[in-house]
Amino acid sequence: MVLLGSLSQMNRDEAKSYIQQAGGTLSSSLSFKTHYIVVGETPGDKLKKAQKFGICQLSETEFIELLESAGVDVDVNSK
């Protein structure tokens, strides 16, 4: 999973911890192995590359819902 832009409800360290709790890994770069991107505010040029690769895009809300469906207790607005 790759985070693009800034998240409004958590910082990157918290997001990384939640991803790891769900059994995933956080990467700073995109590849064909990337399953999801989380699109935050001002995602930058990586968004176009992710779209080109056909990577599933999640909003921050969808990201939180995915984590919770994996059994992760997400404490939002702790940023």
Side-chain angles (χ1 to χ4, degrees):
M1 185 172 290
V2 176
L3 303 176
L4 303 180
S6 58
L7 302 177
S8 63
Q9 299 184 61
M10 68 186 76
N11 63 42
R12 286 182 178 270
D13 287 337
E14 291 169 324
K16 180 179 180 179
S17 174
Y18 292 140
I19 292 166
Q20 290 172 337
Q21 288 176 48
T25 57
L26 180 66
S27 177
S28 61
S29 61
L30 296 167
S31 75
F32 287 106
K33 294 181 180 182
T34 304
H35 293 99
Y36 297 101
I37 59 167
V38 178
V39 182
E41 297 175 30
T42 61
D45 293 334
K46 287 184 183 179
L47 179 57
K48 290 179 185 175
K49 184 176 180 181
Q51 290 169 335
K52 183 178 177 181
F53 286 170
I55 298 169
C56 181
Q57 299 177 43
L58 301 173
S59 68
E60 186 171 358
T61 301
E62 292 168 327
F63 170 57
I64 292 168
E65 290 170 356
L66 181 67
L67 290 169
E68 290 176 340
S69 73
V72 177
D73 184 25
V74 179
D75 180 19
V76 294
N77 294 317
S78 60
K79 185 174 179 181

